[in-house]
Amino acid sequence: MISRTNFFTSGWDSEAVDSELKSKFQMINIAILLSSVGLIAGIMLNIVQNINIRGLIPFELLLLGMNVFLFILLRYKKETLQLVSLIETGQFTLLFLVLVYVSEPDQLKHIWVFTYPVVLLYFQREKSSVYWVVIMITGLLIAPLQPYIEVSYTLYQVIYISIVLAIISIITYFYQIKMDEARNLIKKQVDQLMHKDKLLTLQSKQAVMGEMISMIAHQWRQPLSTITLSISDLQVKKMLGKDIDDKYMDEALQNISDTIIYLSDTIDDFQTYFAPNKNISEEKITDIISRAINFIKTRIKSAKIELEYKQEDFGLIETYSNELVQVILNVINNAIDELVDKKIPNPKLSISIEENKRDFIITIKDNGEGISLENIESIFEPYYSTKGKNGTGLGLYMSQMIMQKQFNSKIQLQSSKDGTEFYIRVPKKLV
């Protein structure tokens, strides 16, 4: 489809043309536009001065009409770009030669010839450019020698013009080579960065998957133990021949049923978390934090960490809730790892929320030993971990990437010997 929003790409949208083709469309449109302005200016000056050098005005009008035709043709079908480039190159070649053949040296119209290599730089491939330069120089050299048209330029003058044109063409040629080398180098580096980014994303997903599986195991271990104990208790009583009244049986079965429902709800929570849903959802910020805490509360309990979180009544937030849950989980997990690995006595973890006009600020604080200045400077870098073999070095890195790319924000932290505080600033609305 053709979009009318981009004049210099002939109306073709970004999905219809790649970046290199888009650049060519832009250059040929600019060339058509500027050459048309030059032709109109030349026609008007010749009319004002009452000069019509050997029919130059009709020739300029013909070229102007051809420019209009080419301008429309580019917008009709994008595959016509190569044909239009060929015609436009031929037009410039013919125009520059005509200027030499019909004008006087003191009118300096021949200086337009020296823009010819720049035209070839954008319109023609390397091999065909050589042919066009040869055609141009040949046309210049035979100008004073041919017997059909009286030319005011001497053989010496056209030789001099041809030498200058050849020099400019050679300079332009090597410039183009260097530009192509630079472009290819940049493209190669971009491809390498994209490959690394994909690799980091894949490894991060694998690391997150491993952490989530670990959290599922934590979430399920205690409920499964509860179910096993309830069933074992009933079996033992039956083996011992003890009577099991209906009330005791109903309570045991209800306990098992409630536990199974809890396990089912846990699976639903994890399915929601992993769903590739990029739609912005509206919900309370406290509900998002509570969902993250539910994922990790069994691990907090088993590590005997005191959790301080007061679920106050804060307003709604329009956000990518799953991505925000992942960020909060990564930061909480990082704090738990610190408290467990360092065997901090009376470990504490607190989560609080502050609200201003535009943002919610989630603060996650632990009472660990803090992070050294050296580690603080590198903590958000990929593969950087202070946990040795137990760390992937991707959790905080990906969390920072999510905050920057999805929320146009970033995670900040303060650390001392008394603990570390992470600050997650989240906008209330994503524009």
Side-chain angles (χ1 to χ4, degrees), residues 104-128:
E104 301 290 335
D106 58 0
Q107 292 176 329
L108 298 178
K109 291 185 180 293
H110 63 271
I111 63 176
W112 285 103
V113 176
F114 302 133
T115 65
Y116 191 62
V118 179
V119 173
L120 297 180
L121 172 65
Y122 289 102
F123 288 176
Q124 298 300 321
R125 294 184 177 91
E126 179 182 320
K127 187 176 181 180
S128 58

Side-chain angles (χ1 to χ4, degrees), residues 285 317 319 324 327-328 354-364 399-400 402-404 406-413 422-428 430:
I285 183 69
I317 183 172
T319 191
L324 184 54
V327 171
I328 296 170
E354 294 181 17
E355 181 180 7
N356 57 38
K357 187 176 181 180
R358 298 181 58 185
D359 306 302
F360 286 110
I361 301 154
I362 304 169
T363 302
I364 300 174
S399 297
Q400 190 71 291
I402 290 172
M403 294 304 301
Q404 291 175 352
Q406 303 291 349
F407 303 104
N408 195 26
S409 180
K410 65 178 182 178
I411 303 172
Q412 296 177 315
L413 65 92
F422 284 85
Y423 305 99
I424 305 170
R425 183 181 297 271
V426 190
K428 292 181 177 180
L430 293 178

Side-chain angles (χ1 to χ4, degrees), residues 259-351:
T259 305
I260 291 174
I261 291 173
Y262 169 79
L263 293 176
S264 177
D265 290 341
T266 302
I267 290 297
D268 291 339
D269 288 340
F270 279 99
Q271 283 180 333
T272 302
Y273 175 78
F274 278 111
N277 181 12
K278 281 293 181 182
N279 295 327
I280 295 176
S281 61
E282 183 180 65
E283 55 184 302
K284 287 187 176 182
I285 183 69
T286 49
D287 291 340
I288 294 176
I289 296 175
S290 295
R291 193 155 74 247
I293 292 174
N294 285 337
F295 284 132
I296 205 74
K297 64 182 181 181
T298 305
R299 188 183 179 203
I300 292 174
K301 185 177 180 180
S302 63
K304 298 180 180 180
I305 297 173
E306 179 184 346
L307 175 64
E308 296 179 357
Y309 172 58
K310 187 177 181 181
Q311 188 168 340
E312 300 179 19
D313 187 18
F314 286 94
L316 297 173
I317 183 172
E318 295 180 8
T319 191
Y320 299 114
S321 58
N322 284 349
E323 280 76 3
L324 184 54
V325 168
Q326 181 179 344
V327 171
I328 296 170
L329 272 174
N330 283 338
V331 175
I332 293 177
N333 267 320
N334 191 74
I336 294 174
D337 290 339
E338 167 70 14
L339 296 173
V340 172
D341 293 344
K342 299 294 178 62
K343 298 180 180 179
I344 303 299
N346 302 316
K348 293 182 181 180
L349 186 64
S350 66
I351 302 173

